């Protein structure tokens, strides 16, 4: 009797914490179906009107496409240069290895706002503020350490004997790399690229400093919008953004499950 | 014991590292150096940076009581957020580590997925909940507890609530990754040796998890003190922290020297907290 | 030039890992006839895996030579060594199915499609993998993975087959089955093989030649019978099977003075030694009850009796000397703990072993 009461309390606590954790997303979802032009909770009538409005809002559409462009470019660059670096860092020991690795990871411990100010001051004299290339440069800076870390841990999870087996059974170093090592890393590389894309896509601090009216990303567009207007349209947009972000998350989860299946 | 075959020849290693290092230099190292450089440039009367060297911006920041107050508010915000987020994340992490329900995967995803949705959107959600015509006010008015809506969405309280929720997933992940050390058999062994559930928690679970909890607290703290979007939107211009000050100096006052000096100050705060944390952690490890 | 006795020849191989004071392998020298199976046997950390990896070329020796068919392997790149290897983790390629795993070595050699298919088909039949051709490696059981790894190594028709503790990850019953299968296959194909294991029973039952290693040194090389019956040193004697070690001084021809047991007859193949030496008797050579003619005999007190299914292991104390005795079940009537019983063994079952490090 006493035991089940304790269990009930524990479950209630967990449910309450989950409610708190998911509250803003749930609220945004509900509001997005509202019909009134101003923000009220709960909604009176449900409709998909806000979604139609978002899809006809060219400013949002442009910002969305631009975000995808920036995220894609930043992910591609990070993946290309980061994978190479991770391969080099996977070597057991060479002079300066620890220092170089620490350098690659250091952007993770520097606040984004400090980096943002630095980037703004650097990009301004170069005329790269409010441009696509400026944004890509900035986002490579924050996504690169994650790519290096993910690929590095993926490399450490590979069975080194696989490459040895390939070499011993007749593969040249090049063949062993293309036929065994790289395919073994497939899921890791996909996960690293998607994480980089997501971080760029959702990044909101640096863009506040270095983006403007010409190069506006989606988070920035939402930020500016809700500073002045809070109507269900932005809720609908938010729901769409969250859903779009979930697609890569699901893919990554799948990838990791596949990997688990492979190793276990 | 075995020797790795994958050691790359030196030239190849250099070739592999070079693009990454170049990218790192351009996107990270150079901006930070430039930031430091700009913070010590003299500034003309009409706000133009001049060549030279001066510590004026630092003197200005350190000599002005306002900035000290902002620094204090920033640290206070960080502490408050960490003090709320970690105890709230802990039960969820414990639950996720222990539960055997088949919904475990979904629940874990739900706990961590908010991490991958934009801060702007989640802050917006909190604006809806805490707003003047938001959920909480509506409910309080409807229940008759209030006759006039109160402002919940402007100020430190709202900022802390939103930040707590936004940063909780980080704490959950951090604690969860440490829970691996805590095998349920350890607890059972302690219980068989005669420890009450409370004693098991205090003498076994807590000491084992303390490093993980501390890491979670550190993570939440540093992310909270450097957050900009949430204080800016939830604070409605009335919450002054280092981040919002830096933003104002760069975009409103256009005083890059002050912005640079404040950024360096924030960086120092970061470094200080992290090194104190590491010292405490290593001392703790000596103790246990 | 190449005589059959030295198809595989290892000369003075030596390896010290960076940061280690002692060599992992010190001056290993051995030879193996074509078509024979060699096992490298020893406890973990004895250097057997390092020796195998140097053979394969996966670890570069500090000095020494590996010759196969009279050809030095120094500087030969891995992919031109034509060796097959079964790894402890199997190291199957997780992104390829069974057929593609087996075909890997043939694909990178650029073999024609038809030749490759035929060869892979042969391997599938040989290893009884029919029906599993297009399975993912992750969907296979341990024994099936083992077969795929073996098929992959054999598909390239290697000059030498290397096996690094291939049975260590299998459950005990499967281990025995696979061991016999590998042995049969090796004999049938006549493929020169080197098999690393820490399991003495496995080593003795599978090998033509056993090399026992410890501390980076090869302690003894010989047939399984030689290794078991005439261990050269105390380490080999104690690592393989059980043994009673007796400190003894040479007293007179065919006679030794044993600590705690007095005078003991010696076989005629033991030569005189100086100072204290070590004599060695297998527990199953010690006889319970009335002594045979010419046997050494003594009385011992029973301290412990352990039942081991087909036999009993009896621990006794004879004077200052502890003696372990193995007696086939059932136990003769009237033997119980605390009782004094007569023990005896024939001089021909007494061996002299060198202490380690001499």
């Amino acid at each position: 009797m006493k035991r089940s009461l304790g269990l009930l309390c524990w479950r209630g606590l967990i449910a309450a914490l989950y409610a708190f954790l998911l509250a803003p997303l749930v609220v945004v979802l509900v509001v997005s179906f509202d019909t009134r032009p101003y923000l009220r909770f709960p909604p009176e009538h449900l409709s998909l009107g806000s979604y139609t409005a978002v899809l006809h809002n060219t400013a949002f559409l442009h910002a969305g496409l631009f975000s995808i462009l920036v995220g894609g470019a930043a992910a591609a660059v990070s993946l290309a240069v980061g994978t190479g670096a991770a391969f080099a860092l996977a070597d057991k020991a060479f002079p300066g290895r620890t220092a170089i690795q620490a350098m690659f990871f250091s952007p993770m411990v520097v606040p984004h706002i400090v980096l943002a100010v630095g980037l703004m001051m650097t990009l301004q004299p170069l005329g790269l503020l409010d441009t696509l290339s400026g944004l890509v440069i900035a986002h490579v800076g924050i996504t690169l350490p994650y790519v290096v870390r993910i690929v590095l841990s993926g490399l450490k999870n590979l069975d080194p004997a696989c490459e040895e087996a390939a070499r011993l059974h007749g593969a040249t170093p090049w063949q062993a790399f293309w036929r065994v090592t790289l395919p073994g890393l497939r899921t890791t590389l996909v996960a690293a690229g998607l994480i980089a894309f997501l971080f760029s896509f959702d990044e909101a601090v640096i863009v506040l400093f270095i983006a403007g009216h010409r190069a506006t990303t989606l988070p920035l567009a939402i930020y500016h919008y809700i500073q002045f207007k809070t109507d269900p349209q932005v809720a609908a947009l938010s729901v769409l953004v969250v859903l779009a972000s979930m697609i890569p998350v699901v893919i990554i989860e799948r990838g990791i499950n596949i990997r688990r299946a492979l190793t276990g | 014991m075995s020797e790795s075959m994958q050691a790359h020849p030196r030239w190849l290693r250099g070739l592999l590292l070079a693009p990454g290092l170049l990218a790192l230099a351009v996107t990270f190292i150079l901006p930070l150096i430039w930031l430091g450089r700009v913070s010590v440039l003299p500034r003309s009367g009409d706000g133009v940076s001049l060549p030279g060297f001066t510590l004026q911006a630092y003197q200005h920041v350190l000599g002005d009581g306002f900035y000290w107050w902002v620094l204090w508010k920033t640290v206070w915000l960080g502490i408050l957020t960490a003090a709320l987020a970690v105890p709230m994340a802990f039960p969820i992490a414990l639950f996720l580590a222990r539960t055997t329900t088949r919904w475990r995967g979904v629940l874990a995803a739900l706990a961590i997925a908010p991490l991958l949705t934009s801060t702007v959107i989640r802050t917006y959600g909190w604006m809806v909940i805490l707003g003047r015509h938001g959920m909480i006010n509506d409910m309080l008015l409807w229940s008759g507890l209030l006759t006039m809506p109160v402002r919940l969405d402007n100020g430190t309280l709202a900022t802390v609530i939103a930040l707590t929720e936004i940063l909780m997933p980080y704490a959950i992940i951090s604690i969860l990754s440490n829970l691996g050390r805590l095998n349920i058999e350890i607890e059972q062994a302690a219980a068989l040796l005669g420890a009450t559930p409370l004693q098991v928690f205090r003498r076994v679970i807590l000491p084992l998890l303390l490093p993980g909890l501390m890491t979670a607290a550190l993570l939440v703290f540093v992310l909270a003190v450097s957050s900009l979007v949430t204080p800016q939107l939830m604070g409605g211009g009335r919450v002054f922290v280092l981040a919002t000050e830096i933003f104002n100096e760069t975009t409103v006052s256009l005083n890059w020297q002050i912005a640079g000096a404040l950024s360096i100050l924030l960086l120092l705060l970061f470094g200080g907290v992290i090194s104190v944390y590491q010292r405490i952690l290593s001392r703790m490890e000596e103790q246990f | 030039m190449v005589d059959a006795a030295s198809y595989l020849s290892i000369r003075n191989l030596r390896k010290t890992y960076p940061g280690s004071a002692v060599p992992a392998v010190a001056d290993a020298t051995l030879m193996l006839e074509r078509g024979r199976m060699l096992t490298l046997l020893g406890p973990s950390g004895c250097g057997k895996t390092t020796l195998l990896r140097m053979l394969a070329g996966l670890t570069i020796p500090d000095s020494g030579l590996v010759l196969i068919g009279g050809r030095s392997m120094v500087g030969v790149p891995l992919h031109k060594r034509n060796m097959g290897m079964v790894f402890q983790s199997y190291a199957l390629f997780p992104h390829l199915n069974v057929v593609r795993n087996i075909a890997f070595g043939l694909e990178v050699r650029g073999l024609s499609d038809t030749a490759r298919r035929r060869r892979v088909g042969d391997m599938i039949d040989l290893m009884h993998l029919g029906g599993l051709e297009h399975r993912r490696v992750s969907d296979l059981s341990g024994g099936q993975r083992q077969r795929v790894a073996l098929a992959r190594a054999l598909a390239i028709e290697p000059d030498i087959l290397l096996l690094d503790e291939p049975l260590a990850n299998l459950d005990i019953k499967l281990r025995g089955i696979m061991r016999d299968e590998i042995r049969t296959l090796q004999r049938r194909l006549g493929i020169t093989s080197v098999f690393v294991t820490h399991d003495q029973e496995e080593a003795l039952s599978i090998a033509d030649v056993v090399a026992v290693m410890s501390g980076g040194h090869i302690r003894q090389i010989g047939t399984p019978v030689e290794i078991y019956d005439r261990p050269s040193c105390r380490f080999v004697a104690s690592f393989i099977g059980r043994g009673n070690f007796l400190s003894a001084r040479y007293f007179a021809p065919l006679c030794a003075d044993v600590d705690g047991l007095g005078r003991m007859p010696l076989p005629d193949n033991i030569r005189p030694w100086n100072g204290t030496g070590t004599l060695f008797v297998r527990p199953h050579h010690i006889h319970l009850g009335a002594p045979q003619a010419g046997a050494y005999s003594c009385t011992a007190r029973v301290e412990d009796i352990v039942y081991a299914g087909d036999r009993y292991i009896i621990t006794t104390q004879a004077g200052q000397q502890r003696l372990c005795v193995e007696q086939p079940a059932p136990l003769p009537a009237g033997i119980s703990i605390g009782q004094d019983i007569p023990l005896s063994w024939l001089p021909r079952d007494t061996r002299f072993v060198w202490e380690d490090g001499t």
Side-chain angles (χ1 to χ4, degrees), chain B residues 184-205:
Chain B
I184 187 124
E185 283 168 12
I186 295 178
E187 274 173 63
Q188 288 164 347
L192 283 174
L193 290 169
T196 65
L198 198 67
Q199 281 172 321
V200 170
F201 184 79
R202 273 195 43 210
R203 287 165 175 268
V204 179
I205 302 183

Side-chain angles (χ1 to χ4, degrees), chain A residues 6-249:
Chain A
L7 195 67
L8 209 64
C9 284
W10 171 245
R11 292 212 168 136
L13 175 70
I14 298 297
L17 289 172
Y18 261 103
F20 176 72
L21 194 61
L22 297 173
L25 292 179
V26 172
V27 165
V28 167
L29 180 68
V30 174
V31 168
S32 74
F33 295 111
D34 206 344
T35 49
R36 289 164 296 186
Y38 55 90
L39 209 62
R40 258 337 248 288
F41 194 92
E44 267 174 352
H45 307 286
L46 298 181
S47 89
L48 290 171
S50 309
Y51 288 89
T52 335
V54 167
L55 294 176
H56 286 95
N57 186 327
T58 46
F60 283 155
L61 284 181
H62 280 146
L65 286 176
F66 193 73
S67 276
I68 292 172
L69 195 61
V70 172
V77 174
S78 293
L79 203 56
V81 303
T83 303
F87 267 95
L89 288 172
D91 276 2
K92 252 187 189 159
F94 56 89
R97 189 194 164 282
T98 326
I100 293 174
Q101 180 170 319
M103 237 159 75
F104 270 110
F105 289 171
S106 56
M108 291 195 286
V109 294
V110 169
H112 281 182
I113 183 160
V114 174
L115 197 56
V117 177
L119 278 163
M120 187 197 74
M121 291 173 177
T122 319
L123 295 176
Q124 197 263 352
L126 300 172
L128 288 173
L129 280 188
D130 205 10
T131 63
L132 174 65
S133 18
L135 276 173
V136 173
I137 288 174
H139 281 180
V140 166
I142 53 167
T143 53
L144 184 58
Y146 293 95
V147 169
V148 173
R149 194 166 71 169
I150 293 169
V151 177
L152 197 55
S153 79
L155 274 172
K156 285 190 177 149
N157 281 335
L158 285 185
D159 183 356
C162 273
E163 203 179 312
E164 293 179 342
R167 293 280 284 111
L168 207 55
H169 292 142
T172 62
W174 194 242
Q175 283 175 321
F177 175 75
W178 281 106
R179 285 167 173 265
V180 173
T181 310
L182 211 56
L185 277 178
R186 205 163 39 193
T187 50
T188 303
L189 293 178
V190 170
L194 287 174
I195 291 274
F197 176 81
L198 269 184
F199 278 20
S200 163
F201 192 77
D202 285 339
E203 200 284 322
V205 173
I206 292 173
V207 290
L208 269 174
F209 285 80
I210 65 163
H213 297 292
R214 279 181 295 145
T216 300
T217 65
L218 212 44
L220 190 61
I222 299 174
Y223 178 92
H224 284 312
Y225 195 85
I226 57 179
Q227 272 197 314
F228 305 107
K229 268 192 278 185
T230 46
D231 61 31
Q233 203 187 117
V234 80
L237 177 61
S238 303
V239 171
L240 293 178
V241 172
V242 170
L243 285 180
S245 307
M246 285 303 150
I247 296 168
V249 174

Side-chain angles (χ1 to χ4, degrees), chain B residues 4 16 28 49 92 96 114 119 122 124 140 172 188 218 236-237 245 275:
Chain B
S4 173
L16 286 170
F28 176 69
S49 300
I92 292 190
L96 285 177
T119 314
R122 290 205 283 157
Y124 164 69
L140 292 177
I172 294 173
Q188 288 164 347
L218 174 84
E245 271 318 293
S275 64

Side-chain angles (χ1 to χ4, degrees), chain C residues 38-345:
Chain C
L38 165 76
T39 62
L40 298 175
L41 171 66
S44 59
C46 72
K48 57 191 191 297
T49 293
T50 302
L51 183 54
L52 187 81
R53 289 176 63 85
M54 287 197 282
L55 238 163
L58 296 169
T59 294
I60 310 295
D62 297 338
S63 59
L65 277 180
V66 175
L67 297 124
I68 294 171
R71 189 166 76 109
S72 166
M73 287 285 117
V74 175
V76 177
L78 286 172
H79 58 279
K80 292 192 175 151
R81 290 184 166 235
N82 203 35
M83 291 179 175
M85 182 153 170
V86 177
F87 290 78
Q88 188 172 355
S89 66
Y90 310 139
L92 296 177
F93 307 129
H95 60 290
L96 300 179
N97 64 19
V98 169
V99 168
R100 295 286 311 277
N101 260 284
I102 299 173
F104 183 87
L106 308 172
E107 282 178 24
V108 295
R109 280 172 169 74
L111 217 68
S112 76
D113 252 24
T114 38
R116 195 175 67 212
R117 280 219 190 96
R118 190 168 344 111
R119 182 85 189 130
V120 171
D122 290 348
M123 285 298 123
I124 297 273
D125 294 342
L126 186 69
M127 296 312 302
H128 313 297
L129 286 164
L132 301 174
E133 287 91 340
H134 300 288
R135 288 273 191 91
R136 294 191 70 88
V137 175
S138 53
D139 297 335
L140 299 181
S141 70
Q144 290 167 337
R145 287 180 203 202
Q146 171 82 75
R147 285 166 206 270
V148 176
L150 206 53
R152 181 179 67 180
L154 291 173
I156 62 170
E157 299 183 66
D159 295 335
I160 294 214
L161 177 66
L162 306 172
L163 304 114
D164 183 9
E165 305 237 13
L167 307 176
N169 289 330
L170 298 178
D171 68 64
I172 196 149
K173 201 171 162 197
L174 200 54
R175 206 180 296 167
I177 295 171
M178 283 309 297
R179 183 189 68 198
D180 296 343
E181 216 166 296
I182 290 174
R183 180 57 170 154
T184 314
L185 204 63
Q186 186 269 334
R187 281 206 181 127
R188 207 169 94 205
L189 301 176
I191 182 166
T192 316
S193 308
V194 180
F195 187 110
V196 162
T197 181
H198 62 266
D199 182 330
Q200 43 130 339
E201 193 189 322
E202 203 169 284
L204 296 183
S205 58
I206 207 169
D208 296 308
V209 183
V210 180
V212 184
M213 294 184 70
S214 81
H217 292 269
I218 296 178
R219 299 292 174 191
Q220 189 175 2
I221 303 175
T223 65
V225 173
E226 283 168 350
I227 295 282
Y228 185 80
D229 237 27
R230 288 192 292 284
S232 66
C233 64
R234 185 173 182 138
F235 172 79
V236 174
S238 61
F239 188 70
I240 292 160
R242 291 158 172 274
N244 295 299
F245 295 95
L246 314 168
S247 301
R249 271 164 307 283
Y250 189 78
F251 179 70
L254 302 182
C255 186
D257 191 5
V258 178
D259 287 359
L261 293 177
R263 303 278 149 78
M264 185 178 294
L266 291 175
D268 52 14
N269 58 3
I270 294 181
R271 273 170 287 167
W273 69 91
N274 282 325
T276 308
T278 305
L279 297 176
F280 165 71
V281 186
R282 292 275 180 207
H284 66 90
H285 283 144
I286 300 181
H287 182 71
L288 280 178
Q292 294 157 269
Y296 166 79
S297 66
C298 63
T299 305
R301 173 158 297 177
V302 176
E303 298 214 314
D304 196 16
I305 302 175
V306 174
Y307 176 59
D310 55 345
R311 64 208 144 97
Y312 284 87
I313 297 156
I314 304 160
T315 310
T316 66
Q317 188 79 31
Q320 300 300 306
Q321 186 67 48
R322 183 161 287 235
L323 288 174
C324 179
V325 182
E326 274 179 28
Q327 175 72 22
L331 213 53
I335 292 185
S336 58
I337 291 173
Q339 213 181 358
D340 287 331
I341 53 169
L343 298 179
S344 65
W345 65 88

